[in-house]
Amino acid sequence: MTIDTRKLLKAGGIAILAASISGCMSSGGGGGGGSQSAARGIEGDWDSGDGIAVSSFAGGIFTTKAKDTGNKLADGSYRINGDLIEITVISLIRNTTSSVNCKQVDQNQLNCTSSTGSTFVLRRRVAA
């Protein structure tokens, strides 16, 4: 039971980190005309680097769920601002809101940084 709780807290922390990044960059100006094509590039499911959670991007909505239980850990939103993916994360575990900025380094990897400076990687989920 303790292990599951720790996994949920760790996954929640990852979601919070992702959301933290966008707060650092959100004052950076207006939306670009290329956001629709960029959004299609990130839409879908992404595994956390530690394998604990799956984050989903769809139509501006961001969600993170625990892989082992399927429990929702975080909700939020995202937007494309130039080459940054700005995510606002609402942790359902900690009842906090944070920001994360990610860069898509290739088709299958997002490098993310939270507003607190923590970094993590999301990898596109491979279809089974």
Side-chain angles (χ1 to χ4, degrees), residues 2 10 13 32-33 38 42 44-45 57 59 69 76 89 97 103 105 122-123 127:
T2 305
K10 188 173 181 181
I42 66 160
D45 295 333
F57 296 88
T69 64
V89 177
T97 301
K103 279 197 166 193
V105 295
L122 297 175
R123 294 193 191 334

Side-chain angles (χ1 to χ4, degrees), residues 9-88:
L9 290 174
K10 188 173 181 181
I14 290 169
I16 289 169
L17 290 176
S20 298
I21 296 172
S22 70
C24 296
M25 303 301 289
S26 63
S27 62
S35 63
Q36 281 292 56
S37 62
R40 282 192 295 268
I42 66 160
E43 290 196 357
D45 295 333
W46 298 77
D47 287 321
S48 62
D50 60 10
I52 292 175
V54 176
S55 294
S56 299
F57 296 88
I61 304 297
F62 172 82
T63 304
T64 299
K65 293 182 180 180
K67 285 177 83 171
D68 59 350
T69 64
N71 291 338
K72 191 184 292 188
L73 304 173
D75 281 325
S77 61
Y78 69 93
R79 72 180 195 126
I80 309 300
N81 185 6
D83 63 347
L84 287 178
I85 298 116
E86 300 174 343
I87 308 167
T88 299

Side-chain angles (χ1 to χ4, degrees), residues 86-106:
E86 300 174 343
I87 308 167
T88 299
V89 177
I90 303 163
S91 170
L92 303 177
I93 295 169
R94 295 187 179 144
N95 198 27
T96 57
T97 301
S98 58
S99 299
V100 174
N101 286 329
C102 299
K103 279 197 166 193
Q104 189 168 8
V105 295
D106 65 36

